[in-house]
Amino acid sequence: MLRRVRPVQLIFLGFLLTAAVGTGLLLLPAATAPGEQTDFIHALFTATSALCVTGLVVVDTATHWSPLGQAVILVLIQLGGFGVMTFATVIGLIVLGRLSLRSKLVAATEAKSLGLADLRSLILGIVKISLSIEGVLAVVLVLRFYLSYQMGFGEALWQGVFHSVSAFNNAGFSLFSDSMMGFVADPVVCLSMAAAIILGGLGFPVIIQLRRHFRTPRLWSMHTRIVVWATTLLLVLGTALITVLEWSNPRTLGPLHWSEKLLAGFFQSVQTRTAGFNSVDISAMEPTTWLGIDVLMLIGGAPAGTAGGIKVTTFAVLLFILITELRGDAAVNIFGKRLSRSVHRQAIAVVLLALALITVVTGVLMHISGLPLDQVLFETVSAFSTVGLSTGITADLPVLGRLLLVMLMFIGRIGPITFASALALRERRTKYELPKERPIIG
């Protein structure tokens, strides 16, 4: 029976099973701090948020969970960053020393690999890259916390390791009750975490290619070029947007020195790429800033990495399609290469599915909670894009609202196309073509 299950369905089931196990572990009395109580919804929401590397919370991670509960969250973040089936493939490689064809197909589907030939090196590369970047960031944070913030070495070690894993995997979970607001003016903490978040958001194939051909951009693939240029552009635009709109806001950037305002603006721009930490109070931002962040969160980071959203490649493809249509060109050309027409359909499908889900859930949440559109939309986009930024309404939502956000986080992590394909009972292959006809557009 299992052999009839398609790779996308195995990915779906793998995440579902892991979320269930994580929920069970967080329900253990030992996972909750003394004096606190955890119900099923709290455990399910937290486990899903951690596994889907989102960062939305309904309880304070620092005070509600015991060290065991925080360790469970950390493991779920790491599994979510690797990809559940990718991690299972790694275990298979370690135990068996080889991969079956089915394991290769499943791992390739989750890792967004275009082929099976170099899959073994790709999977091992993902593990090496993740652990290396997390290790370097952990050392920086441990030393900074220990030497500059009067933490004991044990506490600094745990804080450094937890935040390094959470940062690279774009999870946004923090062991500080105010996230990173206590470090808003600390360039060492903010810039080192931002660097790890950006690398995680580039996607593993891009990191691997940049490592091999960093000094020779002419050897970069179309995918790498799109990701690098789009990421740079969005980071700059996001920094400018947040810094300018919040410059005089007395509840966010207003009290800071101009250099600290730039640092905070850049740090928050990075977080919109699906990381979810905050060094200023998101709930105190201007509604116009929320709207700009909504757009940045929806775009997200790159495929085959730890980021969410519709992905920068999808956004770039739609932008180039628009430019091509306005110019009247016959084909969409990007960086000297012609774009496959099948990619057009995929990009449009992803965006339409994302907008449909966000619209429906936003409407339902507004109806059952009575909260305003700007806050509910922010929360919904954050959940779907696995960002974790919040205006502070997550814990106030009714049970149905939290379950809807759980569903959005799950769909956002595995991807709307993968989710829809997993729900399909079988693949349809049409053996004929119908006559062409054009409706009037626009």
Side-chain angles (χ1 to χ4, degrees):
M1 182 68 180
L2 187 61
R3 294 189 175 186
R4 297 181 181 178
V5 180
R6 303 199 307 276
V8 291
Q9 293 174 325
L10 281 177
I11 294 171
F12 176 86
L13 293 174
F15 268 89
L16 202 63
L17 178 61
T18 307
V21 172
T23 301
L25 292 175
L26 290 178
L27 282 172
L28 295 174
T32 304
E36 301 287 345
Q37 291 185 339
T38 302
D39 59 25
F40 175 76
I41 297 299
H42 286 160
L44 173 64
F45 192 97
T46 303
T48 305
S49 183
L51 182 64
C52 298
V53 291
T54 304
L56 284 176
V57 296
V58 288
V59 293
D60 184 1
T61 308
T63 60
H64 182 87
W65 303 107
S66 69
L68 174 61
Q70 293 171 358
V72 171
I73 291 172
L74 185 67
V75 172
L76 289 172
I77 291 172
Q78 189 70 81
L79 285 175
F82 278 146
V84 173
M85 301 312 296
T86 301
F87 180 76
T89 303
V90 173
I91 298 300
L93 275 173
I94 294 173
V95 175
L96 302 176
R98 59 184 180 84
L99 292 175
S100 66
L101 178 59
R102 184 166 188 77
S103 297
K104 289 183 178 180
L105 290 172
V106 174
T109 301
E110 186 173 54
K112 304 294 190 296
S113 175
L114 297 179
L116 302 180
D118 61 342
L119 186 62
R120 179 188 178 98
S121 61
L122 174 62
I123 298 300
L124 295 177
I126 290 174
V127 175
K128 292 177 182 177
I129 289 169
S130 297
L131 297 182
S132 297
I133 296 175
E134 290 169 1
V136 171
L137 178 59
V139 170
V140 173
L141 293 180
V142 169
L143 292 176
R144 187 63 171 175
F145 292 154
Y146 179 65
L147 297 175
S148 302
Y149 291 93
Q150 290 75 51
M151 292 186 188
F153 183 75
E155 182 185 2
L157 179 64
W158 178 234
Q159 294 280 5
V161 170
F162 188 97
H163 287 89
S164 67
V165 174
S166 185
F168 176 72
N169 291 289
N170 283 213
F173 276 87
S174 176
L175 296 182
F176 302 109
S177 296
D178 60 356
S179 190
M180 308 308 294
M181 290 176 63
F183 307 93
V184 63
D186 189 330
V188 175
V189 172
C190 290
L191 293 180
S192 60
M193 290 184 65
I197 292 165
I198 292 170
L199 288 173
L202 289 178
F204 296 109
V206 173
I207 297 176
I208 291 173
Q209 187 165 72
L210 289 179
R211 186 177 60 179
R212 294 173 180 172
H213 306 295
F214 183 76
R215 297 181 181 275
T216 52
R218 59 185 178 81
L219 298 179
W220 295 358
S221 65
M222 177 196 293
H223 175 80
T224 297
R225 294 185 183 191
I226 290 175
V227 169
V228 170
W229 286 110
T231 297
T232 303
L233 177 63
L234 291 172
L235 284 174
V236 172
L237 291 177
T239 301
L241 172 78
I242 295 170
T243 305
V244 170
L245 293 179
E246 297 296 320
W247 188 271
S248 301
N249 188 338
R251 297 185 296 166
T252 55
L253 301 186
L256 301 177
H257 184 267
W258 70 266
S259 60
E260 296 169 351
K261 291 180 181 182
L262 292 176
L263 176 63
F266 172 72
F267 186 78
Q268 287 308 142
S269 176
V270 172
Q271 306 317 308
T272 63
R273 312 311 311 290
T274 79
F277 295 104
N278 61 284
S279 61
V280 295
D281 187 357
I282 301 297
S283 65
M285 285 182 166
E286 301 290 344
T288 309
T289 310
W290 286 344
L291 181 60
I293 293 177
D294 285 341
V295 175
L296 293 171
M297 290 192 299
L298 181 62
I299 295 172
T306 58
I310 62 172
K311 305 298 188 295
V312 292
T313 46
T314 304
F315 173 75
V317 164
L318 291 179
L319 180 61
F320 278 105
I321 290 175
L322 175 61
I323 294 172
T324 300
E325 192 65 26
L326 293 176
R327 293 173 57 180
D329 294 337
V332 179
N333 300 314
I334 304 177
F335 298 119
K337 298 289 183 66
R338 183 169 56 86
L339 189 67
S340 170
R341 290 192 177 275
S342 63
V343 179
H344 301 195
R345 299 194 300 270
Q346 291 174 346
I348 294 171
V350 167
V351 171
L352 289 179
L353 285 172
L355 292 179
L357 283 167
I358 290 171
T359 301
V360 171
V361 173
T362 298
V364 174
L365 288 181
M366 288 178 63
H367 179 72
I368 64 177
S369 68
L371 293 168
L373 172 62
D374 50 7
Q375 288 185 297
V376 174
L377 179 62
F378 192 99
E379 208 79 7
T380 305
V381 175
S382 181
F384 173 80
S385 302
T386 68
V387 178
L389 293 176
S390 174
T391 60
I393 66 172
T394 313
D396 299 327
L397 292 174
V399 172
L400 176 59
R402 298 180 192 181
L403 291 176
L404 287 173
L405 291 186
V406 167
M407 178 195 71
L408 275 185
M409 290 188 288
F410 193 81
I411 296 174
R413 179 63 185 100
I414 67 174
I417 294 294
T418 302
F419 180 80
S421 299
L423 295 182
L425 296 178
R426 61 186 179 87
E427 292 182 333
R428 296 184 60 187
R429 297 185 181 276
T430 305
K431 298 181 179 180
Y432 57 88
E433 290 187 0
L434 296 174
K436 288 184 179 180
E437 187 173 348
R438 291 174 59 107
I440 300 173
I441 300 296

